[in-house]
Each structure stands twice: as structure tokens, then as C-alpha cells.
Amino acid sequence: MTATRIDGKAFAAALRERVGSHALDFASKAGRKPGLAVVLVGEDPASQVYVRSKGKATVAANMESFEHLLPAETTQTDLVALVEKLNADPSVDGILVQLPLPGHLDEKAVIAAINPDKDVDGITPTNAGRLVLGMDAHISCTPLGCLLMLREIYDDLSGLDAVVVGRSILFGKPMAQLLLAENCTVTMAHSRTRNLPDLLRRADIVVAAVGVPNLIRGEWLKRGAVILDGGINRLEPAPGASKGRLVGDVAFDEAVGHVRAITPVPGGVGATTIAVLLRNTLVAAHRNAGLAVPEGI
Ligand code: NAP
């Protein structure tokens, strides 16, 4: 059996298209575009590139982009004051503070300062609590992207055995909550889990959120399982190459002959995150403006 490669780029392009068209409708009703503010502290070039690509994608989806690139020595007071200013700005629907912050800043306090209604990254305690309680919540973009892709594969996830490997606040934990809300039987694995291969052999769905290259071997996976590989790991460069290859947490070449469908790395889960961020901003804009959230988004 050769598995279907789940095309994260195509999924993201279709989602961006839908979001862009709903954003135009929103502008005609609300008299303004949905707005996303991204805050980056420090001069890390990779993060700057990432923030710029978010900005371009925001504009391409017919939304307003506000970029705040702050120096590494920004104080806690100034950063929280900016977050509070964005909270109060009616043209800003979503606020994303790029993490990690430089070590002298209190990350938890900055996150807690974000208005939960504008927390399109789903990182505030309020949104984490809302997710657990089954209330409307902004949900972290990577796990939500995984769920949206699973919904395109399965009409109904009820009763399926799902294993989420990794329990981080932004990925593994919300992923498990989302699958539980879909009536999956969910197991969460982590670095202390005993006998991961045995758990995975039973799983209809595996979400890998670890950050260890090729940790999950093909023979550990059930025939017919669906695998979402969130890992983004750069290998050591081959002799003569300037950069190493990107691989996931799942040994793709082994798994692909074994499972029903799998996301590649790159071009899988990672390709969906910005599109989901725009989707969350569109949803926030509708809620903030008192308009009904478009269906099927
Ligand atoms: P993280 O905070 O470092 O968490 C990693 C998790 O993996 C932890 O819960 C850890 O367990 C678990 N783990 C580590 N070694 C393990 C092992 N040998 N067996 C089983 N579990 C193990 O990482 P993260 O932020 O969730 O990111 C995970 C991966 O997803 C990374 O490659 C990251 O680059 C990627 N990612 C991608 C996106 C995207 O696609 N846009 C977004 C976020 C993250 P303990 O809790 O016991 O330590």
C-alpha cells in the first residue's frame, strides 16, 4: 500500500482563498478590513523573515497587517503597554506575540496581557480554559490546522483511536483536547511514555508533536492509519551542503508504504499554520464586530 500524501500547501491555499473572500464580505459589512498585529522583540533574522511572510499573507487575504518590530532590549513595561494599546485598538482583531521572547522578559505576564478575544494564537489561559470547557475559543493554529485536515479525510472522527505524541501547551495539549471533542479515544504520549511503539500500533490517527527527527518508525504504525507529522527538524548538512534537510518526527519513507495517509515534511502540517492564523483572525473580526462567523471556515 502506498499512502496518500496529505498536501498541506494545497490545503492552506484553499483555506487562504476562502478566508480572503470572506474578508472582502466582512469589509463590506463592517466598513473596515480584519486586522492582524504581529509583535516581534529582537533581531533574529529567521523570525523577521517569518513575521514578514505573515504580513504578506495577511495583506494577500484582504486583511490589514500591523507589524511591530521591537529592539531586543525592549522593557517589560513597554511591551505590555504595546499589547494594551493593541487590545484597545478597534482596527486590530488579532494579536500575535512571536515567542520565545528574550530572556529578560516575563513571557507569561505578556501573554496574560493579551485580550483573549484577540488571542488568535490561542495562548492565553482564558482560551486554553475555554477549549477544555468546550466553549468557543481561539485555538492554537498548528493543532487546529491538523484537525481541519483530518476533517477533510474523515466524515466522522467518533470512536477512532488517536495518539498525540508530545504535550506542549501550543501543540500537543490543545491537539488532544480537539480530538477528544471530536469523540476520539485519545492517548497522550511524551518523553516518559513507556513503550510508544505498542501505543502507536493501535492508533487510527497519530499526531506527532515532538521535535525529534524520525523518532517514529514505519513499522510502529497501524496499517491504514492517518499520520499528521508536526515535527520540523533540520538534519546536519550533507558534506558540501550549506543547510541540512528538513525532516519530521516520523520516518516518512518507512511510513508511506504502511499507512493510509501522511503529511510530508516540508509541505505538510507546517505549511498550514499561517493560513489557520488568518482564519482565526477572520473569526475574531466577526466576533469583535458582532457579526455571525461564516459557516465552514
Ligand atoms: P516542545 O515544547 O519541545 O515539546 C515536545 C514534546 O515532545 C514534549 O511534550 C516532550 O515530552 C515530547 N517528547 C520529547 N522527546 C520524546 C520522545 N522521545 N518520545 C515521546 N515524546 C517525546 O515542542 P513543540 O513546540 O510542541 O514542537 C514540537 C515539534 O513541532 C517541533 O519540531 C516544532 O518545530 C514543531 N512545530 C511545528 C509548528 C508548525 O508546523 N507551524 C508549530 C509548532 C511546533 P515531555 O513533555 O515529557 O518533555
Side-chain angles (χ1 to χ4, degrees):
M1 175 166 66
T2 300
T4 305
R5 292 164 69 103
I6 304 168
D7 187 344
K9 280 190 194 163
F11 170 87
L15 179 57
R16 279 202 303 265
E17 178 95 29
R18 289 201 302 278
V19 168
S21 127
H22 285 301
L24 286 179
D25 286 349
F26 174 88
S28 70
K29 288 179 193 147
R32 65 174 182 86
K33 292 178 180 178
L36 173 64
V38 178
V39 179
L40 173 66
V41 185
E43 284 92 27
D44 175 49
S47 298
Q48 286 178 339
V49 169
Y50 191 48
V51 166
R52 296 235 161 77
S53 67
K54 278 181 185 161
K56 277 190 198 154
T58 306
V59 172
N62 306 316
M63 298 187 184
E64 205 82 62
S65 167
F66 307 98
E67 277 176 31
H68 295 270
L69 305 178
L70 308 180
E73 58 277 10
T74 299
T75 63
Q76 181 79 12
T77 312
D78 286 352
L79 181 56
V80 170
L82 173 62
V83 169
E84 282 167 356
K85 192 168 141 232
L86 298 172
N87 284 342
D89 184 342
S91 60
V92 172
D93 294 295
I95 302 170
L96 185 138
V97 178
Q98 194 72 41
L99 301 178
L101 293 170
H104 68 283
L105 294 169
D106 178 352
E107 208 162 270
K108 283 202 175 113
V110 174
I111 290 170
I114 300 171
N115 175 351
D117 294 338
K118 298 191 176 188
D119 169 29
V120 284
D121 212 12
I123 56 173
T124 57
T126 302
N127 279 311
R130 285 177 153 263
L131 174 61
V132 173
L133 294 173
M135 298 161 71
D136 274 342
H138 285 306
I139 295 162
S140 176
C141 301
T142 306
L144 182 57
C146 289
L147 178 70
L148 296 176
M149 284 194 281
L150 284 171
R151 284 208 191 125
E152 291 199 349
I153 296 170
Y154 293 102
D155 291 334
D156 182 8
L157 296 164
S158 286
L160 295 174
D161 276 318
V163 175
V164 179
V165 191
R167 55 175 165 180
S168 66
I169 287 169
L170 270 179
F171 196 168
K173 278 185 184 160
M175 187 74 243
Q177 287 297 334
L178 287 171
L179 291 167
L180 189 59
E182 298 284 326
N183 300 314
C184 290
T185 304
V186 182
T187 305
M188 295 186 72
H190 45 76
S191 66
R192 313 290 174 88
T193 295
R194 291 184 196 160
N195 220 345
L196 183 62
D198 281 352
L199 287 179
L200 293 177
R201 277 188 194 105
R202 293 204 333 251
D204 303 301
I205 295 170
V206 175
V207 181
V210 184
V212 176
N214 301 325
L215 169 77
I216 296 171
R217 314 308 311 188
E219 60 173 339
W220 300 358
L221 300 167
K222 180 169 162 177
R223 286 210 164 263
V226 171
I227 316 297
L228 295 171
D229 187 355
I232 303 177
N233 311 297
R234 198 170 283 286
L235 298 178
E236 288 297 312
S242 62
K243 267 189 185 176
R245 217 159 50 85
L246 277 185
V247 298
D249 294 338
V250 180
F252 184 88
D253 293 342
E254 296 172 11
V256 81
H258 211 73
V259 299
R260 171 175 166 197
I262 181 167
T263 54
V265 178
V269 172
T272 66
T273 304
I274 292 181
V276 179
L277 176 68
L278 300 175
R279 177 236 173 247
N280 284 357
T281 304
L282 181 83
V283 170
H286 281 80
R287 289 192 186 140
N288 295 343
L291 295 169
V293 175
E295 291 203 6
I297 192 71

